[in-house]
């Protein structure tokens, strides 16, 4: 007779196998890209197939996570259990998001790279897959060491993508990116070792560990958090650690979309959320007044970056400063620490990903089809590229926070979570940011649709592999604004994560 414990063990082993398979999909993709590098159609199809398989695997694991369980797996035995993988609601949200956007970006990359006649497309596709692998490693990490290893692999694998064009400007941007991120990695390593010295663990636990010892080791905990905040703050683009991000816009647009929507900057924000919610805890943050430190820094970043965007005319630079601002929405929500604010922060990871990838897809399509990158050159282009500019406009309206778009859902929760008297001042940050968003996005839409087209200019939409991904991402911006749990249950996962970390 088979016992209940034996059935449970079999089910657990099956889920672990699914976890390993999902994690390995980008590695199989990268290997296949090298094997089929001379067969361009096969090479370009492999990442899409791997992303689709990966999504199916995560779908199969959702029911268990939805019930409040987690799936855990150990790394190779020779590592003595130091590498841990854990799939919880927060990890599943980030991993599913990365998988779906990998699928969209892989399709978009085909049209963009071929349309722009870029060289070294095999190298591009290879490192793109490695980036997704390292992002999944961050998402599925069960402790800080595993997250750190994935985080550093992400840094190294993104470097060739940033400097893909190998021009002087691209090389300079790549070096700046590497200098910032590798330097920050050393601070993360020091913080991780110090935290382990205090607690003899770096495993993630809902609510954290630090509250029981905050009075005895308050100075050490403040210093350690400062190191984590600086180290992860580089990729999260906190002021004054943000300057690498606008420079990295020299990279091809699919790389920019990858940097901004899910892989690099989201990994920085995700890691800081892990530190706040799963190492320190909301109560410890408040007891040590770290919530105020992070809150003021995030608020300043929001307003500074939005103001800087007003002074830019290059489309990708505007989007870069917009990303810097929007990432700090998430950090300010975590610093506020109320249930609604944390829920808004977690869901804003999803909302911003779909909004920003829509905007970058649009900017890339405009560049490929027209060669124009400056907003002063956008006059009348909405009549030539109606699909692209309608989708781009939807992304802009969602970023502003217009109802019935996904950006409204997260912003509403963030504002609601700031309405308590002790947090009331933060409401003005959201209002000011919204007005600034209107100020730098509206002129682009107005020029495209309401200005006359210069005589002699005529352009048309690109190939289906350019407009289909932006159409899908735009549809998700709309649908998730009406039904936030559509298809991927992102809102439910955000609720589960919030319930796990807010006391």
């Amino acid at each position: 007779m088979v016992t209940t414990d034996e059935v449970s063990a079999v089910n657990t082993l099956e889920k672990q196998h699914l976890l390993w398979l999902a994690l390995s999909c980008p590695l199989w993709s990268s290997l296949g890209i090298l094997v089929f590098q001379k067969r361009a159609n096969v090479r370009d199809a492999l990442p899409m197939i791997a992303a689709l398989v990966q999504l199916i695997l995560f779908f199969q694991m959702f029911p268990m996570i939805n019930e409040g369980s987690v799936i855990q797996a150990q790394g190779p035995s020779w590592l003595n259990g130091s590498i841990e993988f854990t799939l919880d609601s927060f990890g599943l949200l980030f991993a599913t998001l990365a998988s779906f956007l990998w699928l969209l970006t892989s399709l978009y990359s085909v049209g963009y790279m071929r349309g722009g006649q870029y060289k070294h497309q095999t190298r591009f596709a290879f490192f793109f897959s490695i980036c997704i692998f390292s992002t999944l490693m961050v998402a599925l990490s069960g402790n800080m060491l595993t997250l750190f290893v994935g985080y550093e692999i992400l840094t190294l694998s993104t470097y060739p993508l940033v400097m893909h064009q190998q021009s002087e400007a691209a090389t300079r941007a790549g070096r700046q990116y590497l200098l910032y991120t590798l330097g920050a990695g050393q601070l993360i390593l020091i913080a991780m070792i110090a935290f382990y010295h205090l607690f003899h663990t770096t495993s993630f636990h809902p609510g954290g560990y630090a509250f029981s010892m905050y009075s005895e080791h308050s100075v050490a905990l403040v210093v350690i958090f400062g190191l984590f905040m600086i180290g992860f703050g580089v990729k999260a683009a906190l002021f004054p650690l943000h300057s690498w991000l606008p420079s990295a816009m020299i990279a091809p647009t699919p790389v920019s979309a990858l940097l901004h929507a899910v892989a690099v900057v989201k990994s920085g924000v995700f890691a800081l959320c892990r530190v706040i919610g799963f190492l320190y805890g909301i109560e410890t943050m408040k007891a040590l007044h770290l919530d105020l430190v992070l809150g003021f820094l995030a608020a300043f970043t929001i307003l500074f970056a939005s103001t800087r965007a007003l002074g830019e005319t290059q489309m990708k630079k505007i989007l870069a400063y917009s990303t810097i601002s929007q990432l700090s929405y998430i950090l300010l929500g975590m610093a506020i620490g109320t249930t609604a604010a944390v829920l808004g922060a977690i869901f804003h990871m999803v909302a911003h990903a779909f909004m920003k990838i829509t905007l970058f897809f649009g900017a890339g399509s405009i560049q490929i089809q027209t060669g124009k990158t400056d907003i002063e050159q956008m006059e009348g282009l909405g009549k030539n590229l109606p699909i692209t500019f309608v989708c781009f406009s939807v992304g802009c309206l969602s970023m502003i926070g217009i109802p019935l778009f996904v950006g409204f859902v997260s912003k509403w929760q963030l504002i609601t979570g700031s309405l308590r008297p002790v947090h009331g001042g933060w409401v003005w940050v959201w209002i000011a940011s919204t007005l600034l968003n209107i100020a730098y996005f509206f002129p682009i839409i107005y020029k495209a649709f309401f200005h006359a087209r210069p005589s002699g200019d005529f352009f048309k939409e690109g190939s289906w592999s350019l407009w289909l991904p932006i159409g899908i991402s735009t549809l998700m911006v709309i649908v998730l604004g009406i039904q936030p749990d559509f298809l991927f249950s992102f809102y439910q996962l955000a609720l589960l994560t919030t319930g796990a970390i807010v006391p």
Side-chain angles (χ1 to χ4, degrees):
M1 181 178 176
V2 179
T3 65
T4 303
D5 289 342
E6 287 172 334
V7 172
S8 177
V10 170
N11 289 337
T12 301
L13 187 61
E14 180 185 346
K15 298 300 182 184
Q16 288 178 355
H17 288 160
L18 292 176
L19 188 63
W20 287 120
L21 283 172
L23 184 62
S24 67
C25 281
L27 292 179
W28 288 112
S29 170
S30 60
L31 178 62
I33 286 165
L34 295 179
V35 171
F36 294 102
Q37 57 183 295
K38 293 184 179 180
R39 300 178 62 182
N41 289 337
V42 177
R43 177 200 66 198
D44 292 337
L46 285 173
M48 289 180 263
I49 295 170
L52 189 58
V53 171
Q54 196 169 274
L55 267 176
I56 293 170
L57 291 170
F58 284 129
F59 267 124
Q60 288 186 273
M61 289 181 274
F62 174 78
M64 184 175 179
I65 303 303
N66 191 40
E67 292 172 359
S69 302
V70 297
I71 301 170
Q72 295 179 316
Q74 295 287 333
S77 58
W78 52 271
L79 290 174
N80 297 320
S82 56
I83 297 295
E84 300 176 11
F85 293 98
T86 300
L87 185 66
D88 59 3
S89 56
F90 194 27
L92 182 59
L93 179 145
F94 191 32
T96 306
L97 183 64
S99 302
F100 184 72
L101 295 184
W102 181 30
L103 176 62
L104 282 190
T105 310
S106 296
L107 176 58
Y108 180 84
S109 297
V110 175
Y112 184 90
M113 299 299 284
R114 294 185 184 184
Q117 297 181 341
Y118 281 85
K119 298 179 180 179
H120 311 298
Q121 294 186 29
T122 296
R123 184 183 71 192
F124 174 89
F126 173 80
F127 281 108
F128 211 99
S129 290
I130 298 299
C131 276
I132 297 299
F133 165 73
S134 53
T135 302
L136 282 188
M137 195 170 177
V138 170
L140 304 178
S141 56
N143 61 17
M144 187 54 71
L145 178 60
T146 310
L147 189 150
F148 176 75
V149 172
Y151 201 78
E152 294 299 279
I153 295 173
L154 179 61
T155 295
L156 297 174
S157 58
T158 312
Y159 171 67
L161 296 174
V162 172
M163 58 174 296
H164 180 81
Q165 298 183 60
Q166 297 179 281
S167 64
E168 182 180 347
T171 302
R172 185 168 58 251
R175 287 173 180 168
Q176 183 184 22
Y177 168 72
L178 210 58
L179 178 65
Y180 270 68
T181 51
L182 287 181
Q186 307 313 302
L187 299 181
I188 296 169
L189 183 61
I190 294 169
M192 182 175 65
I193 293 171
F195 192 91
Y196 183 83
H197 178 74
L198 286 180
F199 296 96
H200 306 291
T201 183
T202 61
S203 295
F204 298 129
H205 177 73
Y209 303 93
F211 189 70
S212 60
M213 298 176 65
Y214 84 90
S215 58
E216 184 181 354
H217 298 287
S218 58
V219 175
L221 287 170
V222 168
V223 172
I224 292 169
F225 184 80
L227 292 173
F228 276 133
M229 188 169 65
I230 296 171
F232 290 125
V234 167
K235 284 181 181 171
L238 270 173
F239 179 89
L241 308 170
H242 66 283
S243 60
W244 66 271
L245 191 55
S247 301
M249 292 305 96
I250 192 70
T253 297
V255 178
S256 301
L258 176 77
L259 285 171
H260 288 253
V262 61
V264 176
V265 296
K266 283 300 192 312
S267 290
V269 170
F270 177 86
L272 268 176
C273 290
R274 280 292 195 196
V275 170
I276 294 167
F278 294 83
L279 288 184
Y280 271 67
I282 299 295
E283 290 181 330
T284 308
M285 294 288 293
K286 294 183 182 301
L288 296 174
H289 304 297
L290 294 172
D291 58 327
L292 295 177
V293 175
L294 180 61
F296 280 114
L297 190 56
F300 183 84
T301 304
I302 289 170
L303 300 179
F304 164 80
S306 295
T307 305
R308 283 289 282 112
L310 282 173
E312 295 291 340
T313 61
Q314 288 292 312
M315 184 86 83
K316 288 175 70 175
K317 284 287 185 72
I318 293 172
L319 297 183
Y321 281 110
S322 169
T323 293
I324 293 168
S325 175
Q326 294 282 324
L327 291 172
S328 283
Y329 275 40
I330 300 168
L331 298 180
L332 180 53
M334 293 297 293
I336 291 169
T338 60
T339 299
V342 172
L343 174 60
I346 299 299
F347 190 72
H348 197 66
M349 291 184 65
V350 177
H352 177 259
F354 282 104
M355 294 185 295
K356 191 48 61 76
I357 208 164
T358 299
L359 294 175
F360 269 107
F361 282 172
S365 296
I366 295 165
Q367 181 183 357
I368 288 295
Q369 295 307 116
T370 70
K372 300 180 186 297
T373 59
D374 196 294
I375 62 171
E376 299 301 327
Q377 303 171 321
M378 298 293 126
E379 294 96 337
L381 285 182
K383 302 176 183 67
N384 291 145
L385 308 175
I387 297 175
T388 298
F389 271 97
V390 166
C391 293
F392 188 89
S393 299
V394 168
C396 291
L397 294 173
S398 186
M399 292 287 283
I400 292 167
I402 300 298
L404 301 183
F405 298 118
V406 67
F408 174 78
V409 178
S410 54
K411 188 172 283 191
W412 176 262
Q413 293 293 341
L414 289 166
I415 292 173
T416 302
S418 307
L419 290 179
R420 292 184 182 180
V422 70
H423 302 299
W426 299 125
V427 172
W428 296 105
V429 176
W430 308 124
I431 294 173
S433 175
T434 299
L435 294 175
L436 288 167
N437 286 342
I438 295 171
Y440 62 76
F441 278 130
F442 183 74
I444 304 174
I445 301 172
Y446 188 80
K447 286 177 185 293
F449 288 107
F450 298 102
H451 278 206
R453 185 175 64 231
S455 59
D457 272 3
F458 180 77
F459 305 101
K460 61 180 182 178
E461 294 285 0
S463 66
W464 67 271
S465 60
L466 280 176
W467 59 257
L468 181 59
I470 189 175
I472 295 173
S473 64
T474 303
L475 185 62
M476 292 298 293
V477 168
I478 297 169
V479 172
L480 290 175
I482 300 169
Q483 176 49 263
D485 268 332
F486 173 74
L487 194 59
F488 300 109
S489 299
F490 285 129
Y491 197 77
Q492 173 65 14
L493 292 172
L495 278 170
L496 290 170
T497 304
T498 302
I501 62 178
V502 177

